[in-house]
Amino acid sequence: MGEPVDATAEWGGEISALRCPRCGVIPTAMSGPKPPAVRPLLLVVDDEPAVLKIVERLAGKAGFEVITCASGAEALRTLMRRPADLAMVDLRMPDVNGLDLLRQIRRSVPGCEVILMTGYAAVDSAVEAIKLGARDYLTKPFDFDRLRELLLDIRLEMERRAHVVALESQVARQLEFCGMLGRSPLMQEVFSLIQRLAPHAKVVLISGETGTGKELAARAFHQAGPRRTRPFVTINCSAVVDTLFESELFGHVRGAFTGAVESKPGLFEAAQGGMLFLDEVGELPLSVQAKLLRALELGEVQRVGSLQSKRVDVSVIAATNRDLRAEVAAGRFRGDLFYRLNVVEVALPPLRDRREDIPYLTAAFMRDAAQRMGKPLNGLTPAAERVLLSARWDGNVRELKNVIERACMLTDGTLVSDRELAGAFGPEAPSTGRPRAAAPMRTNGDPAPLEAVERVHILEVLRQVNGNRMAAAKVLGISRRALYRRLDRHRLIDEAPRPSLARRTS
Ligand SMILES: Nc1ncnc2c1ncn2[C@@H]1O[C@H](COP(=O)(O)OP(=O)(O)OP(=O)(O)O)[C@@H](O)[C@H]1O
Ligand SMILES: [Mg+2]
């Protein structure tokens, strides 16, 4: 405190001590100004040496570091070099009027409090000084007891303030884990689980609805674990053509199949020593599941077309928004692979179960958006906050992020209002809703078979999102590929609603 504020220089050697003990990243909350040193800096300005001496002695005892100056000009020069926390300024000095000096200090060192001193007490100048932002107005000769008390009060107040700043940044650090934000007990539990597992777990399954942060959690595992300096390789299993899976994962040799003109290593080999992230693992075809299981169990892979095995040391982290147990029961996912992946499971809670995270996430997303868009945004109107707190959030954190970004784009002032949020939740749904599940269906008084309910539900969702396949897949919590498979199975490819240009552009 007292020194010019340059975040990096200020923190200097202490910065490494502030790294996230969990992932090694220095949290942004810690790059602000350093909390004050124990002794705040006091600058005394008076042309009477006796006054300087007395104040120096009393303030030193009250815990201040003291610098004395005999003139206004000298005081300003000193302040530019070392911004003080407190200045005691004589009202009448040969070179400058104390009130002018007060004005200058308020302008150029806004963090510095100012006390005026005078031997010619006058109500006018006292009122003027306070109006200009002076902390207090003292008359000379000093009442020593009062001066001592005032200095002690100020020092204690400064210490308290520094303590609060330090506490706040400490709290901010605990609310962030390797890029994931969350203040809810549920998310704190997730952070703690990842932190404890990351050093040991070799295979991890992350489950959670769409947009709950599965990919972010996978990256957190990587950052918080011993493989953080090794590769993090991702494959999105819903985006790979069935016939290419094997070669993607395990590689191939030249001539292994038509088009294999060169030998190519697979992702397992690319991730050697690091981590392979199998996103949407529920979409993996059964034939590839068997080969994946083999790779996990033996720790070796075989390129397509090769008889040789290669040892790989890769940690596998899989994510799914499906209920894999149900997939196993339905015969769509191998039970043995599920149990192999499921040794360690981290389930990310949906946003609706941790609504206390909403204001916090909103503030963070808004800060980012405001910075990117160069807008002076700094909050929500109470009505907008109510809308966000009560929405369904079927799309979870991703949906919240999109809604905030869109609202920030539309906002002209400094606050986002419910007006900018209206319409952010889909064209036909009310501002707080997303398409809901169809009511339980019955045929001849009996519950309808699941297949029939699924068919009707898919049709209903497609209708509500104007036939947009991508949006429907999101609402249904499945990949687009999985949606097409289901459309095919239900013979809906031609029958299902398609996006109509008129509605899309309206
Ligand atoms: N706890 C969080 N803190 C900050 N941002 C988050 C958090 N959780 C999710 N996000 C953000 O929300 C978006 C979606 O997250 P992510 O891609 O990790 O979700 P997902 O579960 O993998 O979704 P999907 O199932 O659709 O693939 C990303 O932009 C991510 O940065
Ligand atoms: Mg994902």
Side-chain angles (χ1 to χ4, degrees):
M1 160 166 209
E3 289 292 341
V5 177
D6 166 316
T8 23
E10 275 276 279
W11 287 101
E14 294 161 53
I15 201 142
S16 50
L18 297 166
R19 270 175 210 293
C20 170
R22 322 197 238 195
C23 71
V25 170
I26 300 160
T28 41
M30 297 310 294
S31 54
K34 176 185 174 180
V38 187
R39 289 167 79 81
L41 180 64
L42 164 66
L43 187 87
V44 202
V45 198
D46 203 309
D47 54 331
E48 283 179 63
V51 172
L52 294 178
K53 225 182 201 129
I54 287 169
V55 174
E56 187 172 20
R57 195 161 51 84
L58 285 177
K61 279 191 182 158
F64 284 89
E65 179 191 347
V66 185
I67 299 181
T68 58
C69 295
S71 72
E74 189 190 337
L76 275 178
R77 271 198 309 275
T78 309
L79 276 175
M80 288 305 115
R81 231 174 346 101
R82 285 197 66 186
D85 305 296
L86 178 65
M88 292 179 66
V89 174
D90 188 22
L91 186 64
R92 288 194 194 174
M93 286 177 286
D95 68 332
V96 69
N97 177 312
L99 288 178
D100 287 338
L101 186 53
L102 167 64
R103 274 192 202 93
Q104 291 233 34
I105 295 177
R106 298 300 300 159
R107 224 185 1 251
S108 33
V109 196
C112 179
E113 298 223 55
V114 181
I115 294 173
L116 263 282
M117 312 179 283
T118 179
Y120 317 85
V123 176
D124 284 2
S125 53
V127 170
E128 177 73 10
I130 303 292
K131 275 210 280 198
L132 286 173
R135 157 94 191 211
D136 213 333
Y137 190 92
L138 299 176
T139 44
K140 292 186 277 193
F142 295 125
D143 172 343
F144 287 157
D145 286 339
R146 171 147 191 251
L147 180 56
R148 221 177 313 203
E149 215 168 282
L150 178 68
L151 288 170
L152 263 178
D153 277 356
I154 294 180
R155 207 207 73 213
L156 289 176
E157 191 184 303
M158 285 172 172
E159 264 171 25
R160 262 198 305 274
R161 221 182 296 148
H163 191 60
V164 169
V165 169
L167 274 180
E168 272 174 358
S169 52
Q170 200 183 337
V171 169
R173 244 188 311 168
Q174 280 169 358
L175 299 180
E176 181 173 353
F177 177 74
C178 306
M180 302 179 82
L181 308 173
R183 66 176 356 149
S184 59
L186 283 174
M187 283 311 281
Q188 289 289 314
E189 184 53 38
V190 167
F191 296 169
S192 149
L193 196 63
I194 298 179
Q195 184 190 356
R196 282 175 290 142
L197 291 172
H200 315 288
K202 187 96 189 284
V203 179
V204 177
L205 179 64
I206 300 178
S207 60
E209 292 179 10
T210 183
T212 44
K214 294 185 293 296
E215 179 161 356
L216 219 50
R219 290 183 187 278
F221 257 105
H222 180 242
Q223 272 185 53
R227 294 168 186 260
R228 72 175 69 90
T229 57
R230 310 307 303 272
F232 179 87
V233 175
T234 299
I235 173 169
N236 185 335
C237 301
S238 72
V240 179
V241 183
D242 283 11
T243 48
L244 287 182
F245 258 114
E246 216 185 315
S247 130
E248 278 288 311
L249 283 174
F250 309 117
H252 61 252
V253 294
R254 192 154 71 106
F257 47 85
T258 324
V261 283
E262 298 278 357
S263 283
K264 195 177 143 238
L267 297 177
F268 262 98
E269 285 179 62
Q272 183 66 276
M275 218 170 228
L276 178 60
F277 175 42
L278 300 172
D279 203 0
E280 307 207 24
V281 74
E283 305 290 317
L284 212 56
L286 279 165
S287 60
V288 186
Q289 290 178 23
K291 300 209 164 87
L292 174 63
L293 180 66
R294 205 182 106 91
L296 288 177
E297 289 194 324
L298 301 178
E300 53 185 43
V301 293
Q302 238 173 359
R303 292 189 184 184
V304 177
S306 165
L307 294 175
Q308 273 179 345
S309 295
K310 266 198 173 142
R311 290 213 62 76
V312 282
D313 168 28
V314 170
S315 160
V316 168
I317 190 153
T320 181
N321 52 26
R322 299 224 200 158
D323 178 355
L324 280 192
R325 281 177 192 82
E327 296 293 299
V328 171
R332 284 189 293 268
F333 203 84
R334 288 182 68 113
D336 46 9
L337 178 60
F338 171 67
Y339 290 112
R340 179 84 209 179
L341 293 175
N342 191 44
V343 178
V344 164
E345 180 177 350
V346 175
L348 292 178
L351 192 56
R352 64 181 165 280
D353 289 350
R354 47 177 166 115
R355 290 190 185 266
E356 60 269 52
D357 283 342
I358 293 174
Y360 182 57
L361 288 166
T362 300
F365 295 150
M366 196 179 284
R367 216 171 30 235
D368 287 353
Q371 203 169 29
R372 238 178 313 113
M373 298 172 194
K375 288 188 170 185
L377 294 165
N378 58 12
L380 297 163
T381 63
E385 201 167 314
R386 277 197 300 277
V387 170
L388 293 183
L389 281 172
S390 60
R392 284 166 53 93
W393 299 124
D394 291 342
N396 294 292
V397 184
R398 177 183 294 106
E399 187 184 9
L400 174 64
K401 193 171 179 176
N402 291 341
V403 165
I404 298 299
E405 296 230 331
R406 179 179 180 279
C408 290
M409 219 139 56
L410 294 174
T411 305
D412 282 329
T414 56
L415 293 180
V416 168
S417 76
D418 52 333
R419 213 168 358 129
E420 283 94 37
L421 294 177
F425 299 87
E428 288 180 29
S431 63
T432 55
R434 293 282 303 253
R436 286 165 187 276
M441 272 173 48
R442 293 181 171 271
T443 49
N444 303 327
D446 292 315
L450 193 56
E451 283 291 304
V453 176
E454 188 180 78
R455 186 173 199 277
V456 171
H457 185 55
I458 289 174
L459 273 174
E460 169 63 10
V461 168
L462 272 167
R463 197 188 56 74
Q464 291 194 22
V465 297
N466 295 337
N468 183 324
R469 275 23 181 194
M470 198 65 198
K474 275 232 132 60
V475 172
L476 292 165
I478 58 178
S479 67
R480 194 155 60 142
R481 224 161 61 96
L483 174 61
Y484 275 107
R485 266 207 307 269
R486 284 184 160 88
L487 289 175
D488 192 18
R489 198 170 75 219
H490 293 296
R491 286 193 253 283
L492 283 174
I493 295 279
D494 294 318
E495 194 186 314
R498 301 199 157 275
S500 88
L501 208 57
R503 289 181 80 179
R504 248 190 311 164
T505 50
S506 66

